[in-house]
Amino acid sequence: MTVKKIIKMKLSTRLIVLVVVLQAVMFILLAMNNAFQSMQYSEEIFTGALMGVVITLSLTAAITYSMTANLRKLEIAAKAMSIDQLEFKVELEGKGELDDLTGTFNRLAQELSEAKKALRKEHEALERESRFMQALLDGIDAVVMEARLPGYQFTFVSREAKNLLGYAVSDWLKPNFWVDNIQKEDVIWLKETILGHTEKGESFTIDFRMSHQQGHTIWVRAINSVEFDEDQRPIIRGLILDITEQKTAEDRIVYLAEHDSLTGLINRRRFQNELERSIAYAERYQLQGAVLFVDLDQFKYVNDTYGHQYGDEYLLDVSRRLFQVLRRTDILGRLGGDEFGVVIPKCSFEEAHTVALAMLGALAQESMEHDGKMVPVSASIGVALFPTQSAVPADLLAKADAAMYTAKRKGRAQVHIFSDDDTELWNMQSKIHWEERIRWALAEDRFVLFYQPVVEMRTGLITHYEVLLRMRGDNDQMISPGAFIDTAERFGLIREIDSWVVDQAIKTQAQSIKDHKPVSLAINLSGKHFGNLNMLDYIKDTIKTYGADPQSLMFEVTETEAVENLSKARGFIDSLREIGCQFALDDFGIGFSSFHYLRNLPVDYIKIDGSFVRGLHVDTDDRLFVKAIVDLAKGLNIPCVAEFVENSHIADVLIELGVELGQGYYLAKPKAEFIDGVIIDLHKRG
Ligand code: C2E
Ligand code: CA
Ligand code: CA
């Protein structure tokens, strides 16, 4: 048996060979020992025995080396594996017990190698994703954040946070960062609002002011979604955006909407709001104040004789003169063409009279001139006191107006303080006359509905009709609601009128379905009973009674009235929208800072007030204003309707500004019947 043959043997065979050889050696040694003892010492025998020992030792060494060779290979492979060289393969010499182990070892290495590759791929993908998310987070013009209650304790903010306020991300995460950096006066309501929403687990958007590290104020909008952790504690996640620019634009819109562009004075609506505030203040602190109604005596003459441009200068000069007389706390507004109003928040009867006389003095003091000719300046002033003579702004203004008429009748440049005699005169002129006429019209069925199409500006497609009320007069002439709606509102007759309109319009809609020519109708609701639950039930009942399609009914309410009764308005709107009706905010733009509220009113359309539309093709201010409204509405995903589309040029500008819907004499006038066909030609010229 050669050494080579032994090496190729299985390990077990090799062990057997080893044992046999060892036994043979032992046997020889024993035999030698016996021979040594029994026989004479023989050199040959000793040499043979020594040879045997040498051969045995060599064989043992050879077999041991061959036995451990494969184990060493495995050891090297294990070392390779330990330093991550998983491609290393073990190749054994010969066949043996280690084959299985080696196979398993190699398979393990292979599997590990593959798992490692997969892991690396996964890791790279995750890294890519993480880089992408980071880039996304950094790329958004908003702070992505996570916060906890109470208030807004940030637990995460993206890097944009640093750009927004100038503070490092780590500062944002410090306790109380939010509370320390919002306006002090906002802390309580903001905390309460946030708590209210988070407790209910509802998403919410909230605007508030924060201080920049450099001291200036930043307006932000936080868009939040709420989740709860395993301990049911709310987690707020969302975005914080910088809306300072938008707020500045909104403020500018509000400014434009509340001020008269010629004189810069506040306009009628804002004036009424200021009046309302002053009345409330006077009632609260038991004070007395006055409102003055100033009407120029010869403005029409001046305007007609010297032209509009001079007319404007004249008005500007008058407003400056009136302003000079007033104290800083008094409020001066331009109420209409040549009408001005003054609120004196705190004054006695005598003081009000004195101020009015001082105004007349300031106007008379110096004549105006035109081309060397003297132009007279004078006014008639009516005064009404609050809260004694009335605590309702419109009513009070009407009384001051009535007093002004009395002043006019007394001759020019007079002051008159309201008295009950004026009420009689005023009643005679308006209330009795119109109250009777409205009752008469209701009883004698002299109200008629007209319909004016609202049209998609790009296609000319009629989307719906606005329902407009008319009163048929003695000679069957059509009287516009402008002549009686105000009076009806003032004397509590509007409910009957609106009920009549609602009934007739819903009936008409139901009939249109039966006639297989279905129409959608927009009904005007007076803000006076807007939010009134009886009206709500009445509308729902009427829809049911006639079998009208609620989805083809829309209600228009003026933005000012909706905003004035915001919480009631919400409920009312929500309830009608639930059954499928739609809502439009009418006369949008002339209201009082309603832009801030728009987000809180669930409306389907905004109707841009006609006064901003009719001059759109010539007036750049109007254009800016309408664009601002459209941008705002687009941001909120609310389509706009422009009223008073009176010519093709306006239509073109509207299309250019992206206004979706239009209504006006150019497109179609209000008529007692619906238009045949569903398309209006937008390209007719003239
Ligand atoms: P509104 O809701 O703003 O209605 C639009 C008014 O603009 C309508 O006057 C309409 O005839 C008029 N109009 C339409 N296109 C043009 C145009 O191109 N140029 C001009 N200059 N005017 C245009 P109308 O019918 O005299 O109504 C006046 C206001 O009376 C309405 O203003 C609305 O506030 C109120 N009103 C009308 N019908 C009803 C009603 O049924 N119920 C209530 N509560 N109010 C009504
Ligand atoms: Ca309307
Ligand atoms: Ca309108």
Side-chain angles (χ1 to χ4, degrees):
M1 193 176 285
T2 61
V3 173
K4 250 191 179 169
K5 271 188 181 160
I6 292 173
I7 286 172
K8 278 187 182 159
M9 280 174 184
K10 271 192 162 193
L11 187 64
S12 53
T13 326
R14 273 183 269 165
L15 277 172
I16 290 168
V17 170
L18 181 66
V19 170
V20 168
V21 169
L22 281 175
Q23 270 181 356
V25 171
M26 290 299 287
F27 177 76
I28 292 167
L29 284 178
L30 276 174
M32 270 168 57
N33 196 30
N34 287 344
F36 203 63
Q37 279 168 11
S38 60
M39 280 182 247
Q40 274 295 352
Y41 173 73
S42 148
E43 205 171 293
E44 286 82 30
I45 289 174
F46 181 76
T47 309
L50 202 63
M51 285 281 288
V53 170
V54 169
I55 289 165
T56 306
L57 284 177
S58 311
L59 272 173
T60 310
I63 290 168
T64 308
Y65 179 81
S66 88
M67 269 169 64
T68 52
N70 283 341
L71 280 176
R72 277 197 309 280
K73 282 189 182 167
L74 278 174
E75 190 190 350
I76 291 168
K79 272 191 187 144
M81 197 187 267
S82 76
I83 57 165
D84 226 15
Q85 294 183 357
L86 299 172
E87 308 72 34
F88 197 92
K89 286 273 163 327
V90 188
E91 272 175 35
L92 296 187
E93 290 181 24
K95 289 228 170 267
E97 277 79 4
L98 290 182
D99 282 358
D100 291 346
L101 184 60
T102 312
T104 311
F105 189 93
N106 283 342
R107 262 197 311 284
L108 185 68
Q110 172 86 15
E111 273 165 23
L112 272 177
S113 166
E114 272 160 21
K116 191 182 151 192
K117 270 186 211 146
L119 210 62
R120 187 178 303 140
K121 254 192 199 157
E122 226 166 84
H123 179 76
E124 280 167 6
L126 275 175
E127 219 165 46
R128 264 201 310 278
E129 205 169 298
S130 146
R131 273 199 303 271
F132 174 69
M133 293 305 279
Q134 191 62 48
L136 211 60
L137 280 183
D138 296 341
I140 303 178
D141 247 3
V143 178
V144 180
M145 60 86 187
E146 184 185 81
R148 296 278 191 161
L149 291 184
Y152 230 54
Q153 179 60 57
F154 295 110
T155 47
F156 171 83
V157 288
S158 62
R159 278 187 225 161
E160 181 61 21
K162 167 96 173 98
N163 295 340
L164 185 71
L165 296 186
Y167 290 103
V169 167
S170 53
D171 290 331
W172 280 70
L173 302 181
K174 286 180 187 158
N176 288 331
F177 176 82
W178 180 75
V179 172
D180 292 344
N181 286 287
I182 56 174
Q183 305 280 308
K184 291 288 159 281
E185 59 270 31
D186 292 346
V187 172
I188 293 177
W189 79 262
L190 272 174
K191 272 191 167 178
E192 275 172 12
T193 312
I194 292 170
L195 187 68
H197 288 297
T198 35
E199 272 177 350
K200 281 188 230 146
E202 60 189 20
S203 303
F204 63 99
T205 298
I206 192 167
D207 295 353
F208 51 88
R209 291 164 295 172
M210 295 193 82
S211 318
H212 192 277
Q213 196 183 26
Q214 285 167 2
H216 56 275
T217 300
I218 303 275
W219 265 102
V220 301
R221 171 162 307 152
I223 304 168
N224 308 281
S225 73
V226 181
E227 274 170 46
F228 293 91
D229 66 10
E230 54 278 6
D231 299 323
Q232 290 310 302
R233 283 175 313 195
I235 310 172
I236 305 170
R237 293 201 180 98
L239 298 173
I240 299 180
L241 313 146
D242 184 351
I243 53 160
T244 314
E245 241 172 64
Q246 186 182 333
K247 281 283 176 193
T248 318
E250 278 180 19
D251 287 347
R252 193 179 138 66
I253 299 175
V254 170
Y255 179 87
L256 286 173
E258 290 177 344
H259 290 79
D260 163 45
S261 58
L262 174 67
T263 59
L265 296 176
I266 57 171
N267 62 17
R268 188 180 195 101
R269 235 168 242 268
R270 170 72 188 274
F271 183 81
Q272 277 186 333
N273 279 296
E274 294 291 342
L275 181 57
E276 191 174 347
R277 216 172 297 171
S278 299
I279 294 172
Y281 191 81
E283 279 186 312
R284 168 84 177 72
Y285 296 101
Q286 293 178 341
L287 304 170
Q288 180 172 264
V291 59
L292 279 56
F293 200 108
V294 184
D295 188 278
L296 301 184
D297 289 328
Q298 292 105 337
F299 181 69
K300 192 170 162 10
Y301 164 79
V302 171
N303 212 30
D304 291 349
T305 317
Y306 305 112
H308 292 300
Q309 201 177 339
Y310 185 74
D312 284 354
E313 277 172 37
Y314 185 89
L315 285 173
L316 209 56
D317 197 25
V318 164
S319 70
R320 282 198 209 107
R321 291 182 190 204
L322 293 178
F323 192 74
Q324 276 169 13
V325 177
L326 300 175
R327 288 171 303 188
R328 270 186 47 195
T329 45
D330 302 337
I331 299 156
L332 173 66
R334 184 173 171 205
L335 306 184
D338 60 349
E339 298 166 350
F340 295 84
V342 177
V343 179
I344 307 175
K346 183 171 166 275
C347 69
S348 64
F349 176 95
E350 291 78 19
E351 280 166 335
H353 196 234
T354 311
V355 172
L357 288 177
M359 287 182 141
L360 293 188
L363 293 182
Q365 191 183 38
E366 212 182 317
S367 291
M368 281 185 67
E369 243 184 70
H370 184 264
D371 279 349
K373 287 192 202 112
M374 302 300 256
V375 183
V377 200
S378 79
S380 302
I381 302 179
V383 182
L385 303 165
F386 60 80
T388 37
Q389 291 181 328
S390 174
V392 179
D395 203 26
L396 195 69
L397 258 185
K399 286 185 168 165
D401 190 7
M404 187 275 295
Y405 268 105
T406 309
K408 258 208 176 142
R409 280 194 308 143
K410 288 200 284 185
R412 279 166 192 170
Q414 296 288 321
V415 175
H416 182 77
I417 298 193
F418 181 80
S419 78
D420 288 341
D421 297 344
D422 303 314
T423 319
E424 270 168 42
L425 176 79
W426 178 50
N427 275 353
M428 257 171 40
Q429 281 175 343
S430 57
K431 177 176 172 175
I432 295 174
H433 174 68
W434 278 111
E435 196 179 339
E436 271 178 6
R437 294 202 76 173
I438 293 166
R439 289 199 194 289
W440 164 78
L442 282 164
E444 302 281 317
D445 206 11
R446 297 193 75 87
F447 280 121
V448 184
L449 292 186
F450 272 35
Y451 309 97
Q452 187 181 26
V454 174
V455 174
E456 209 171 65
M457 288 312 291
R458 295 210 160 269
T459 57
L461 200 71
I462 297 174
T463 58
H464 64 275
Y465 292 83
E466 176 172 9
V467 178
L468 295 162
L469 184 63
R470 299 287 178 267
M471 185 194 278
R472 207 148 38 87
D474 299 322
N475 309 317
D476 278 355
Q477 82 279 22
M478 287 298 169
I479 304 169
S480 280
F484 56 85
I485 288 282
D486 268 0
T487 318
E489 286 189 342
R490 213 183 293 160
F491 300 108
L493 288 160
I494 191 68
R495 185 162 308 182
E496 275 143 294
I497 294 184
D498 272 0
S499 303
W500 185 87
V501 174
V502 163
D503 182 87
Q504 290 295 306
I506 293 179
K507 189 164 141 191
T508 306
Q509 202 287 321
Q511 187 59 43
S512 78
I513 302 176
K514 291 184 192 122
D515 295 344
H516 301 292
K517 282 186 176 171
V519 286
S520 296
L521 299 178
I523 302 167
N524 288 287
L525 283 182
S526 157
K528 283 286 167 291
H529 53 235
F530 187 62
N532 179 309
L533 294 180
N534 291 337
M535 180 48 89
L536 189 66
D537 288 342
Y538 181 73
I539 293 173
K540 287 183 177 172
D541 289 348
T542 314
I543 293 175
K544 255 193 222 139
T545 309
Y546 290 120
D549 169 22
Q551 309 215 354
S552 302
L553 293 170
M554 184 184 292
F555 294 91
E556 294 190 3
V557 61
T558 63
E559 55 148 343
T560 7
E561 278 158 339
V563 167
E564 271 163 21
N565 307 300
L566 200 63
S567 59
K568 275 186 171 178
R570 253 209 95 106
F572 191 88
I573 295 178
D574 281 341
S575 170
L576 279 175
R577 285 181 94 211
E578 257 165 42
I579 61 165
C581 298
Q582 295 190 308
F583 261 89
L585 269 193
D586 206 355
D587 301 349
F588 193 84
I590 53 176
F592 179 65
S593 64
S594 44
F595 300 94
H596 300 311
Y597 298 98
L598 191 54
R599 226 160 279 114
N600 297 316
L601 280 170
V603 295
D604 304 281
Y605 292 96
I606 288 169
K607 294 191 78 168
I608 304 170
D609 191 66
S611 59
F612 303 110
V613 179
R614 62 189 335 168
L616 207 53
H617 53 312
V618 283
D619 189 321
T620 41
D621 271 357
D622 282 349
R623 208 184 159 107
L624 277 177
F625 187 72
V626 170
K627 182 165 176 1
I629 294 181
V630 174
D631 289 348
L632 184 76
K634 283 225 156 63
L636 296 169
N637 224 353
I638 305 174
C640 291
V641 183
E643 305 176 321
F644 292 17
V645 183
E646 290 181 344
N647 57 50
S648 63
H649 309 293
I650 298 177
D652 291 342
V653 178
L654 289 172
I655 292 174
E656 186 191 315
L657 292 179
V659 176
E660 292 88 347
L661 302 164
Q663 173 185 6
Y665 295 164
Y666 169 68
L667 303 166
K669 288 198 167 148
K671 288 218 175 77
E673 55 293 314
F674 299 112
I675 288 181
D676 239 4
V678 288
I679 301 268
I680 287 183
D681 180 8
L682 288 173
H683 305 291
K684 59 184 176 183
R685 285 285 181 260

